Amino acid sequence: MKKLLLAAIALCTILQGQAQELPVPSDEMQKVRNEFQDRKFGIFLHWGIYSMLGDGEWVMFNKRLNRQEYAHLAGGFCPSWFSAREWALIFKEAGAQYVTFTTRHHDGFSMWDTGASDYNIVKATPFGRDVVKELSQALAMEGIKPHFYYSHMDWYREDYPLGGTSKHLPHPDSTTNWAQYKAFMNQQLTELLTNYGPVGAIWFDGMWDHPAGSGFDWELKEQYELIHKLQPKCMIGNNHHGKVVEGEDFQLFEQDLPGENTAGFSAGQAVSQQLPLESCQTMNNTWGYSITDKAYKSSDEIIRRLVRAAGMNSNFLLNIGPRPDGQLPDEAVKILQDIGHFMRTYGKSIYSTRGGIIPPQPWGVTTQKGKTLYIHILNSEEDGRIHNNGLEVVDGKPSILLPKGRYNISEVSLFTTGTRLAMRNEPDGTRIILPKRPTTDIVDYLLEAKLN
Ligand code: GLC
């Protein structure tokens, strides 16, 4: 019997080993990753000189702008209402636990006082203030972790090796010098990881300009090692839309939840079983400030996405494109206030949880902390009406079916009032009978169940 048991344990270990695509992290890094998963909700900020044109962060590319002409924007960039402290307080009130800031986007403009190029916010603008410094300090005061977005692709520099996207820009002066460009990036990353206190993560983007298989070598190993050497607790994520590679500490999903591919970026992304997950999404349809894009999702819809992400074991990184005057769009502030209200009331069912033992169902998702299972029954809005197609009416009351699985529930109650709900066993699982009316303002119902 003992032999059998040992053999079974060995087999499990082998199978687990096969499922692991990456080396096991140090205990220290595992702790960092767990803490990151506990934080659950972050704010993404896309802010740069492009905000002045009010047409998103890709405007330089979309309008095929001349690099020197575009660079003149810097001379007029003076976001007079910018207050890092005010932003940090708004994010704190919303319940955000970390903020990912675009230190340098594809347009190549650096938002800090870099010594690697004069094309930066301190040397090239009348504003002359180091936004990365002000923001990191203000966030630290509120206990919010700064994460730094950093673009691999660069539409401004002459030494950047033009790739699939960038080659379409008018770049007669391109000199392509990878060694020089790489040294530039590593110098900048060294500054970001030396002069701005503890950084939660470096969030890379734009590598798809030279995708895997194109023959181009980004020499990521060297760059990742540099980051982990400078700050061993700094995580690395890369929005390369592909398989996670060694050195990465979390997996990113753009405009989709893990496993979905509605936006078309995630076809090559198998969901990692090993790394924390993060889904980044916009409030409207643009990352950088857009003066015309008023297609904001409702606060309810955004909160449902956040809850759904948690139920799929993923963090949720919600984007804002601040205006060129340094303020957050009014719509964004309102949405953040609504999220804050939700998180103050129901955050216990989100923060520090993991995806629950019951996988996503037609009626919603579950999150779990220890032996407590949170059952989020999520509506959807269609044609101006609220629906939940997963609810079934039994004896005149709505109900949900928890499918059979390797778990046992001893009791279920409403999260807000603690009222116990009736359960009954059925051949396919356990049916929970719900009160006629929803109990929370946003999720249709939130239940709390005790697992044996
Ligand atoms: C895409 C875009 C970029 C944006 C990012 C956010 O990669 O190129 O503009 O910053 O998505 O996920």
Side-chain angles (χ1 to χ4, degrees):
M1 185 63 197
K2 201 170 158 203
K3 264 191 189 162
L4 248 177
L5 197 71
L6 286 177
I9 292 173
L11 186 68
C12 282
T13 318
I14 292 169
L15 288 176
Q16 260 175 13
Q18 282 173 350
Q20 289 192 340
E21 62 276 80
L22 303 172
V24 176
S26 65
D27 290 350
E28 186 186 39
M29 183 46 95
Q30 189 55 55
K31 187 164 170 273
V32 168
R33 292 180 187 177
N34 293 345
E35 287 168 0
F36 170 62
Q37 282 190 295
D38 288 346
R39 291 196 187 96
K40 278 290 172 298
F41 171 46
I43 298 290
F44 207 172
L45 290 173
H46 276 72
W47 200 42
I49 54 174
Y50 43 79
S51 67
M52 296 174 79
L53 297 179
D55 199 9
E57 78 293 354
W58 270 68
V59 59
M60 182 176 177
F61 178 85
N62 292 341
K63 297 210 163 133
R64 304 293 191 270
L65 302 177
N66 171 284
R67 53 188 283 282
Q68 268 115 7
E69 207 54 52
Y70 178 88
H72 289 311
L73 284 176
F77 190 59
C78 196
S80 41
W81 303 123
F82 172 69
S83 158
R85 173 110 187 97
E86 208 169 281
W87 284 12
L89 290 174
I90 294 175
F91 302 151
K92 173 94 177 173
E93 275 291 287
Q97 307 278 306
Y98 62 102
V99 168
T100 308
F101 182 71
T102 45
T103 59
R104 173 171 149 280
H105 206 270
H106 308 331
D107 69 348
F109 187 77
S110 300
M111 296 295 277
W112 78 100
D113 190 12
T114 175
S117 157
D118 286 351
Y119 193 44
N120 75 60
I121 189 157
V122 173
K123 302 202 179 74
T125 77
F127 191 53
R129 282 159 52 186
D130 186 331
V131 160
V132 172
K133 179 157 269 156
E134 291 184 24
L135 198 57
S136 323
Q137 286 170 350
L139 294 173
M141 274 174 70
E142 299 308 322
I144 301 175
K145 283 257 171 204
H147 290 196
F148 292 157
Y149 169 108
Y150 188 83
S151 175
H152 271 127
M153 175 167 70
D154 191 300
W155 295 330
Y156 175 75
R157 289 180 66 87
E158 292 169 24
D159 54 9
Y160 173 74
L162 298 179
T165 315
S166 49
K167 70 175 182 218
H168 297 291
L169 280 160
H171 260 309
D173 38 11
S174 172
T175 55
T176 296
N177 184 340
W178 164 241
Q180 186 181 309
Y181 181 67
K182 185 182 74 171
F184 158 78
M185 285 198 292
N186 290 346
Q187 182 184 341
Q188 287 211 312
L189 289 165
T190 304
E191 291 173 356
L192 288 171
L193 291 160
T194 311
N195 304 332
Y196 298 92
V199 177
I202 297 289
W203 205 104
F204 284 114
D205 189 25
M207 208 184 103
W208 27 258
D209 200 33
H210 294 278
S214 66
F216 186 87
D217 182 4
W218 283 98
E219 299 181 56
L220 287 184
K221 191 164 185 291
E222 179 192 327
Q223 199 168 55
Y224 287 0
E225 278 171 8
L226 172 73
I227 293 168
H228 283 145
K229 189 174 89 191
L230 290 166
Q231 288 202 23
K233 291 187 180 177
C234 176
M235 298 186 303
I236 297 172
N238 193 329
N239 190 29
H240 45 43
H241 303 152
K243 215 170 157 270
V244 282
V245 305
E246 189 171 340
E248 292 170 7
D249 300 294
F250 62 116
Q251 189 181 23
L252 318 181
F253 296 86
E254 180 175 340
Q255 296 286 33
D256 261 312
L257 291 171
E260 294 179 344
N261 186 25
T262 60
F265 299 119
S266 301
Q269 285 185 288
V271 180
S272 169
Q273 299 304 312
Q274 205 185 341
L275 298 188
L277 313 173
E278 183 190 70
S279 164
C280 62
Q281 302 194 18
T282 47
M283 289 183 172
N284 48 3
N285 293 313
T286 359
W287 299 99
Y289 174 64
S290 162
I291 203 160
T292 48
D293 180 2
K294 293 287 174 191
Y296 281 86
K297 292 155 198 128
S298 69
S299 298
D300 287 6
E301 172 62 16
I302 290 174
I303 291 166
R304 285 187 192 112
R305 286 173 188 235
L306 189 163
V307 175
R308 230 175 251 290
M312 294 172 86
N313 207 29
S314 171
N315 282 25
F316 188 68
L317 184 65
L318 180 63
N319 183 71
I320 299 172
R323 295 192 309 234
D325 66 359
Q327 292 206 313
L328 308 173
D330 301 341
E331 295 90 337
V333 174
K334 171 74 178 72
I335 289 169
L336 291 186
Q337 283 165 354
D338 292 341
I339 298 177
H341 171 72
F342 176 82
M343 287 305 233
R344 276 189 294 279
T345 322
Y346 309 107
K348 197 175 155 206
S349 69
I350 305 287
Y351 295 123
S352 299
T353 63
R354 298 293 182 268
I357 187 154
I358 303 179
Q361 298 294 313
W363 43 255
V365 296
T366 64
T367 52
Q368 188 174 334
K369 190 172 181 194
K371 297 218 169 240
T372 307
L373 186 74
Y374 297 101
I375 303 176
H376 304 264
I377 301 175
L378 299 169
N379 287 322
S380 61
E381 270 172 39
E382 284 157 39
D383 314 322
R385 293 181 59 198
I386 307 284
H387 296 264
N388 189 318
N389 300 328
L391 293 185
E392 283 172 63
V393 178
V394 171
D395 301 334
K397 287 185 174 165
S399 74
I400 53 165
L401 186 72
L402 307 182
K404 276 213 154 96
R406 290 168 60 196
Y407 63 90
N408 242 314
I409 287 179
S410 57
E411 59 175 80
V412 185
S413 50
L414 292 174
F415 179 86
T416 30
T417 57
T419 314
R420 286 275 285 270
L421 299 180
M423 306 193 286
R424 74 180 194 216
N425 288 329
E426 290 186 3
D428 293 336
T430 308
R431 186 163 294 282
I432 313 283
I433 314 295
L434 304 165
K436 277 194 176 159
R437 293 229 153 262
T439 50
T440 66
D441 351 0
I442 293 146
V443 278
D444 195 5
Y445 297 89
L446 177 55
L447 317 182
E448 187 171 330
K450 291 274 159 268
L451 296 165
N452 284 328

